[in-house]
Amino acid sequence: MGLVAGQRTRRRIPEATVARLPVYLQLLCDQFDAGVTNISSEELATLGGVNAAKVRKDLSYLGSYGTRGVGYDVEFLVFQIKRELGLTHEWHVVIVGAGNLGQALSGYGGFGERGFPVGGIVDIAEDKIGSVIGGVRVRHIDELSKIVQSHDIAIGVIATPGPAAQDAADALVAAGVTSILNFAPTIINAPHGISVRKVDLAVELQILSYHEQRRANARKATKLQAVPGQRGRGASA
């Protein structure tokens, strides 16, 4: 059977490209707010810290190729990326853990602004249950399935201490959640077909530490190279 007129086959987008699309989206939204209507791949590459060829390759997966001498239409490109990332409608999320991290995440307005309103917060601590965080009342984890079903929630956020993270993940999967964002400082196991993303602040700091150590070593090497030259000039004077 042939393709319907106007229909086209689409290649699966590589994970590395998917990871860059939100970055492009934020940059493009900033440019649109600043009144920019068209942008070249070179300009977007400079803003995003990648090379222009990679930008063009990434955007080609969306079916967007730009126009020579004009570039990409910013507003349309924003729409294309949002459509590809599933951001043309809201995705409610449920947060497991109403401690300090859970409270911070629940009170973060950026979730709702970017299409991820908090549909529920659950915990097991009696002193947390019943409190209101960011306009959402904390409920017992036993009500997780009810919350997931009532808001048609597919994304769960784990904001528990490390030892409780696996139980939280199991509860989310049992409730019907199919994607998990894990903030707990531990690795969780999830069944095949469940998407898991981990946010580990310690790992990010360690990566920054690596770059700082490289800078420190480079400065030290520069000083060591400069000293013999200075001594040599002093000795010959």
Side-chain angles (χ1 to χ4, degrees), residues 12-27 48 50 54 58-59 61-62 81 84-85 87 114 197-198:
R12 181 178 178 84
I13 300 180
E15 288 297 320
T17 296
V18 173
R20 286 189 290 269
L21 290 180
V23 178
Y24 297 152
L25 179 60
Q26 182 60 55
L27 294 171
V50 296
K54 182 170 293 184
D58 289 343
L59 298 183
Y61 288 106
L62 309 179
I81 295 177
E84 196 65 47
L85 293 177
L87 301 179
R114 298 194 180 189
R197 297 285 297 180
K198 178 170 174 53

mmCIF file of all heavy atoms in Angstrom, residues 12-27 48 50 54 58-59 61-62 81 84-85 87 114 197-198:
data_model
loop_
_atom_site.group_PDB
_atom_site.id
_atom_site.type_symbol
_atom_site.label_atom_id
_atom_site.label_comp_id
_atom_site.label_asym_id
_atom_site.label_seq_id
_atom_site.Cartn_x
_atom_site.Cartn_y
_atom_site.Cartn_z
ATOM 1 N N ARG A 12 13.737 7.598 12.938
ATOM 2 C CA ARG A 12 13.804 7.695 14.385
ATOM 3 C C ARG A 12 14.908 8.682 14.749
ATOM 4 O O ARG A 12 16.011 8.623 14.201
ATOM 5 C CB ARG A 12 14.096 6.327 15.004
ATOM 6 C CG ARG A 12 14.150 6.347 16.537
ATOM 7 C CD ARG A 12 14.393 4.952 17.082
ATOM 8 N NE ARG A 12 14.487 4.981 18.524
ATOM 9 C CZ ARG A 12 13.453 4.948 19.345
ATOM 10 N NH1 ARG A 12 12.230 4.891 18.835
ATOM 11 N NH2 ARG A 12 13.618 4.971 20.654
ATOM 12 N N ILE A 13 14.625 9.586 15.651
ATOM 13 C CA ILE A 13 15.598 10.612 16.026
ATOM 14 C C ILE A 13 16.580 10.043 17.047
ATOM 15 O O ILE A 13 16.161 9.463 18.051
ATOM 16 C CB ILE A 13 14.893 11.844 16.615
ATOM 17 C CG1 ILE A 13 13.932 12.434 15.583
ATOM 18 C CG2 ILE A 13 15.900 12.892 17.041
ATOM 19 C CD1 ILE A 13 13.180 13.658 16.068
ATOM 20 N N PRO A 14 17.886 10.188 16.818
ATOM 21 C CA PRO A 14 18.885 9.687 17.773
ATOM 22 C C PRO A 14 18.734 10.361 19.140
ATOM 23 O O PRO A 14 18.318 11.519 19.237
ATOM 24 C CB PRO A 14 20.220 10.076 17.113
ATOM 25 C CG PRO A 14 19.898 10.247 15.663
ATOM 26 C CD PRO A 14 18.501 10.778 15.613
ATOM 27 N N GLU A 15 19.085 9.629 20.184
ATOM 28 C CA GLU A 15 18.955 10.144 21.546
ATOM 29 C C GLU A 15 19.767 11.426 21.752
ATOM 30 O O GLU A 15 19.349 12.331 22.464
ATOM 31 C CB GLU A 15 19.399 9.079 22.561
ATOM 32 C CG GLU A 15 18.431 7.920 22.716
ATOM 33 C CD GLU A 15 17.079 8.371 23.254
ATOM 34 O OE1 GLU A 15 17.045 9.244 24.144
ATOM 35 O OE2 GLU A 15 16.057 7.848 22.785
ATOM 36 N N ALA A 16 20.945 11.493 21.125
ATOM 37 C CA ALA A 16 21.786 12.686 21.278
ATOM 38 C C ALA A 16 21.087 13.912 20.706
ATOM 39 O O ALA A 16 21.170 15.011 21.260
ATOM 40 C CB ALA A 16 23.136 12.472 20.592
ATOM 41 N N THR A 17 20.380 13.725 19.595
ATOM 42 C CA THR A 17 19.626 14.830 18.995
ATOM 43 C C THR A 17 18.449 15.214 19.880
ATOM 44 O O THR A 17 18.177 16.404 20.092
ATOM 45 C CB THR A 17 19.121 14.443 17.595
ATOM 46 O OG1 THR A 17 20.241 14.215 16.734
ATOM 47 C CG2 THR A 17 18.254 15.541 16.996
ATOM 48 N N VAL A 18 17.744 14.219 20.403
ATOM 49 C CA VAL A 18 16.613 14.484 21.304
ATOM 50 C C VAL A 18 17.071 15.308 22.498
ATOM 51 O O VAL A 18 16.389 16.231 22.942
ATOM 52 C CB VAL A 18 15.967 13.167 21.781
ATOM 53 C CG1 VAL A 18 14.910 13.447 22.847
ATOM 54 C CG2 VAL A 18 15.339 12.413 20.613
ATOM 55 N N ALA A 19 18.267 15.002 23.011
ATOM 56 C CA ALA A 19 18.795 15.728 24.170
ATOM 57 C C ALA A 19 19.111 17.182 23.836
ATOM 58 O O ALA A 19 19.077 18.046 24.723
ATOM 59 C CB ALA A 19 20.053 15.031 24.693
ATOM 60 N N ARG A 20 19.418 17.467 22.554
ATOM 61 C CA ARG A 20 19.731 18.843 22.163
ATOM 62 C C ARG A 20 18.493 19.660 21.801
ATOM 63 O O ARG A 20 18.519 20.889 21.860
ATOM 64 C CB ARG A 20 20.721 18.842 20.988
ATOM 65 C CG ARG A 20 22.146 18.463 21.375
ATOM 66 C CD ARG A 20 23.112 18.706 20.220
ATOM 67 N NE ARG A 20 22.915 17.780 19.130
ATOM 68 C CZ ARG A 20 23.541 16.610 19.000
ATOM 69 N NH1 ARG A 20 24.391 16.215 19.942
ATOM 70 N NH2 ARG A 20 23.308 15.824 17.956
ATOM 71 N N LEU A 21 17.408 19.007 21.432
ATOM 72 C CA LEU A 21 16.214 19.732 21.006
ATOM 73 C C LEU A 21 15.673 20.682 22.084
ATOM 74 O O LEU A 21 15.304 21.816 21.760
ATOM 75 C CB LEU A 21 15.114 18.754 20.566
ATOM 76 C CG LEU A 21 15.367 18.003 19.250
ATOM 77 C CD1 LEU A 21 14.201 17.073 18.932
ATOM 78 C CD2 LEU A 21 15.600 18.982 18.102
ATOM 79 N N PRO A 22 15.614 20.279 23.367
ATOM 80 C CA PRO A 22 15.147 21.236 24.384
ATOM 81 C C PRO A 22 16.042 22.467 24.496
ATOM 82 O O PRO A 22 15.575 23.559 24.812
ATOM 83 C CB PRO A 22 15.155 20.413 25.677
ATOM 84 C CG PRO A 22 15.039 18.993 25.233
ATOM 85 C CD PRO A 22 15.803 18.940 23.954
ATOM 86 N N VAL A 23 17.347 22.276 24.244
ATOM 87 C CA VAL A 23 18.271 23.409 24.282
ATOM 88 C C VAL A 23 17.958 24.366 23.140
ATOM 89 O O VAL A 23 17.856 25.587 23.330
ATOM 90 C CB VAL A 23 19.735 22.927 24.185
ATOM 91 C CG1 VAL A 23 20.696 24.116 24.165
ATOM 92 C CG2 VAL A 23 20.071 22.004 25.340
ATOM 93 N N TYR A 24 17.789 23.815 21.936
ATOM 94 C CA TYR A 24 17.420 24.653 20.795
ATOM 95 C C TYR A 24 16.101 25.373 21.072
ATOM 96 O O TYR A 24 15.953 26.561 20.751
ATOM 97 C CB TYR A 24 17.251 23.798 19.533
ATOM 98 C CG TYR A 24 18.486 23.083 19.051
ATOM 99 C CD1 TYR A 24 18.395 21.887 18.344
ATOM 100 C CD2 TYR A 24 19.763 23.593 19.295
ATOM 101 C CE1 TYR A 24 19.519 21.225 17.881
ATOM 102 C CE2 TYR A 24 20.896 22.939 18.843
ATOM 103 C CZ TYR A 24 20.768 21.750 18.138
ATOM 104 O OH TYR A 24 21.882 21.096 17.698
ATOM 105 N N LEU A 25 15.151 24.650 21.666
ATOM 106 C CA LEU A 25 13.834 25.231 21.928
ATOM 107 C C LEU A 25 13.937 26.443 22.839
ATOM 108 O O LEU A 25 13.335 27.485 22.556
ATOM 109 C CB LEU A 25 12.911 24.179 22.545
ATOM 110 C CG LEU A 25 11.497 24.649 22.902
ATOM 111 C CD1 LEU A 25 10.769 25.160 21.664
ATOM 112 C CD2 LEU A 25 10.715 23.513 23.556
ATOM 113 N N GLN A 26 14.707 26.327 23.907
ATOM 114 C CA GLN A 26 14.858 27.443 24.838
ATOM 115 C C GLN A 26 15.520 28.635 24.154
ATOM 116 O O GLN A 26 15.090 29.785 24.315
ATOM 117 C CB GLN A 26 15.675 27.012 26.054
ATOM 118 C CG GLN A 26 15.835 28.099 27.113
ATOM 119 C CD GLN A 26 14.499 28.559 27.659
ATOM 120 O OE1 GLN A 26 13.708 27.749 28.131
ATOM 121 N NE2 GLN A 26 14.223 29.854 27.603
ATOM 122 N N LEU A 27 16.553 28.360 23.373
ATOM 123 C CA LEU A 27 17.256 29.434 22.663
ATOM 124 C C LEU A 27 16.339 30.115 21.656
ATOM 125 O O LEU A 27 16.327 31.346 21.547
ATOM 126 C CB LEU A 27 18.484 28.862 21.946
ATOM 127 C CG LEU A 27 19.597 28.309 22.840
ATOM 128 C CD1 LEU A 27 20.645 27.585 21.999
ATOM 129 C CD2 LEU A 27 20.244 29.420 23.652
ATOM 130 N N GLY A 48 24.093 27.758 20.906
ATOM 131 C CA GLY A 48 23.993 26.451 21.567
ATOM 132 C C GLY A 48 25.311 25.782 21.868
ATOM 133 O O GLY A 48 25.339 24.715 22.497
ATOM 134 N N VAL A 50 27.410 24.377 19.719
ATOM 135 C CA VAL A 50 27.685 23.233 18.850
ATOM 136 C C VAL A 50 28.064 23.772 17.472
ATOM 137 O O VAL A 50 28.064 24.977 17.253
ATOM 138 C CB VAL A 50 26.454 22.293 18.735
ATOM 139 C CG1 VAL A 50 26.129 21.676 20.079
ATOM 140 C CG2 VAL A 50 25.248 23.053 18.197
ATOM 141 N N LYS A 54 26.036 20.176 12.790
ATOM 142 C CA LYS A 54 25.257 19.354 13.723
ATOM 143 C C LYS A 54 23.849 19.925 13.884
ATOM 144 O O LYS A 54 22.872 19.180 13.958
ATOM 145 C CB LYS A 54 25.960 19.280 15.075
ATOM 146 C CG LYS A 54 25.259 18.404 16.100
ATOM 147 C CD LYS A 54 26.137 18.190 17.334
ATOM 148 C CE LYS A 54 27.353 17.366 16.997
ATOM 149 N NZ LYS A 54 28.162 17.062 18.204
ATOM 150 N N ASP A 58 20.502 17.903 13.047
ATOM 151 C CA ASP A 58 19.462 17.713 14.067
ATOM 152 C C ASP A 58 18.104 18.181 13.562
ATOM 153 O O ASP A 58 17.095 17.488 13.723
ATOM 154 C CB ASP A 58 19.822 18.487 15.341
ATOM 155 C CG ASP A 58 20.985 17.869 16.108
ATOM 156 O OD1 ASP A 58 21.303 16.693 15.861
ATOM 157 O OD2 ASP A 58 21.569 18.572 16.965
ATOM 158 N N LEU A 59 18.077 19.353 12.954
ATOM 159 C CA LEU A 59 16.804 19.921 12.507
ATOM 160 C C LEU A 59 16.249 19.193 11.287
ATOM 161 O O LEU A 59 15.038 19.222 11.050
ATOM 162 C CB LEU A 59 16.969 21.410 12.203
ATOM 163 C CG LEU A 59 17.392 22.277 13.396
ATOM 164 C CD1 LEU A 59 17.454 23.744 12.983
ATOM 165 C CD2 LEU A 59 16.440 22.097 14.576
ATOM 166 N N TYR A 61 15.943 16.088 11.024
ATOM 167 C CA TYR A 61 15.080 15.016 11.513
ATOM 168 C C TYR A 61 13.641 15.504 11.697
ATOM 169 O O TYR A 61 12.712 14.701 11.732
ATOM 170 C CB TYR A 61 15.600 14.464 12.839
ATOM 171 C CG TYR A 61 16.847 13.633 12.703
ATOM 172 C CD1 TYR A 61 18.086 14.122 13.103
ATOM 173 C CD2 TYR A 61 16.795 12.337 12.175
ATOM 174 C CE1 TYR A 61 19.237 13.363 12.978
ATOM 175 C CE2 TYR A 61 17.948 11.566 12.044
ATOM 176 C CZ TYR A 61 19.164 12.084 12.446
ATOM 177 O OH TYR A 61 20.300 11.328 12.322
ATOM 178 N N LEU A 62 13.477 16.818 11.834
ATOM 179 C CA LEU A 62 12.140 17.391 11.986
ATOM 180 C C LEU A 62 11.514 17.693 10.630
ATOM 181 O O LEU A 62 10.365 18.125 10.552
ATOM 182 C CB LEU A 62 12.206 18.700 12.792
ATOM 183 C CG LEU A 62 12.957 18.660 14.126
ATOM 184 C CD1 LEU A 62 12.944 20.042 14.770
ATOM 185 C CD2 LEU A 62 12.358 17.627 15.058
ATOM 186 N N ILE A 81 9.664 21.816 16.959
ATOM 187 C CA ILE A 81 10.351 21.159 18.074
ATOM 188 C C ILE A 81 9.354 20.792 19.175
ATOM 189 O O ILE A 81 9.412 19.697 19.744
ATOM 190 C CB ILE A 81 11.467 22.062 18.632
ATOM 191 C CG1 ILE A 81 12.554 22.264 17.572
ATOM 192 C CG2 ILE A 81 12.080 21.434 19.888
ATOM 193 C CD1 ILE A 81 13.670 23.203 18.002
ATOM 194 N N GLU A 84 7.520 17.738 18.109
ATOM 195 C CA GLU A 84 8.336 16.536 18.183
ATOM 196 C C GLU A 84 8.537 16.083 19.628
ATOM 197 O O GLU A 84 8.575 14.876 19.915
ATOM 198 C CB GLU A 84 9.697 16.790 17.525
ATOM 199 C CG GLU A 84 10.458 15.525 17.196
ATOM 200 C CD GLU A 84 9.751 14.680 16.143
ATOM 201 O OE1 GLU A 84 9.319 15.238 15.113
ATOM 202 O OE2 GLU A 84 9.637 13.459 16.366
ATOM 203 N N LEU A 85 8.656 17.044 20.545
ATOM 204 C CA LEU A 85 8.874 16.714 21.954
ATOM 205 C C LEU A 85 7.567 16.442 22.701
ATOM 206 O O LEU A 85 7.587 16.178 23.905
ATOM 207 C CB LEU A 85 9.623 17.861 22.650
ATOM 208 C CG LEU A 85 11.063 18.103 22.204
ATOM 209 C CD1 LEU A 85 11.648 19.307 22.927
ATOM 210 C CD2 LEU A 85 11.926 16.861 22.467
ATOM 211 N N LEU A 87 5.117 18.592 23.226
ATOM 212 C CA LEU A 87 4.797 19.734 24.081
ATOM 213 C C LEU A 87 3.629 20.560 23.568
ATOM 214 O O LEU A 87 3.417 21.682 24.011
ATOM 215 C CB LEU A 87 6.038 20.635 24.216
ATOM 216 C CG LEU A 87 7.277 19.965 24.814
ATOM 217 C CD1 LEU A 87 8.438 20.950 24.863
ATOM 218 C CD2 LEU A 87 6.978 19.409 26.194
ATOM 219 N N ARG A 114 6.094 25.205 31.490
ATOM 220 C CA ARG A 114 6.616 24.472 30.341
ATOM 221 C C ARG A 114 5.756 23.268 29.971
ATOM 222 O O ARG A 114 6.191 22.405 29.213
ATOM 223 C CB ARG A 114 8.054 24.043 30.617
ATOM 224 C CG ARG A 114 8.974 25.236 30.830
ATOM 225 C CD ARG A 114 10.420 24.872 30.774
ATOM 226 N NE ARG A 114 11.280 26.028 30.982
ATOM 227 C CZ ARG A 114 12.592 26.013 30.815
ATOM 228 N NH1 ARG A 114 13.197 24.905 30.449
ATOM 229 N NH2 ARG A 114 13.299 27.095 31.030
ATOM 230 N N ARG A 197 15.000 8.645 33.542
ATOM 231 C CA ARG A 197 16.052 9.663 33.445
ATOM 232 C C ARG A 197 16.497 9.998 34.854
ATOM 233 O O ARG A 197 15.671 10.146 35.755
ATOM 234 C CB ARG A 197 15.535 10.935 32.763
ATOM 235 C CG ARG A 197 15.095 10.751 31.336
ATOM 236 C CD ARG A 197 16.241 10.604 30.380
ATOM 237 N NE ARG A 197 17.073 11.794 30.334
ATOM 238 C CZ ARG A 197 18.154 11.914 29.565
ATOM 239 N NH1 ARG A 197 18.538 10.900 28.806
ATOM 240 N NH2 ARG A 197 18.858 13.033 29.561
ATOM 241 N N LYS A 198 17.809 10.101 35.048
ATOM 242 C CA LYS A 198 18.341 10.379 36.381
ATOM 243 C C LYS A 198 18.979 11.759 36.425
ATOM 244 O O LYS A 198 19.742 12.128 35.533
ATOM 245 C CB LYS A 198 19.378 9.319 36.775
ATOM 246 C CG LYS A 198 20.007 9.567 38.146
ATOM 247 C CD LYS A 198 20.830 8.388 38.590
ATOM 248 C CE LYS A 198 21.575 8.695 39.875
ATOM 249 N NZ LYS A 198 20.698 9.180 40.953
#
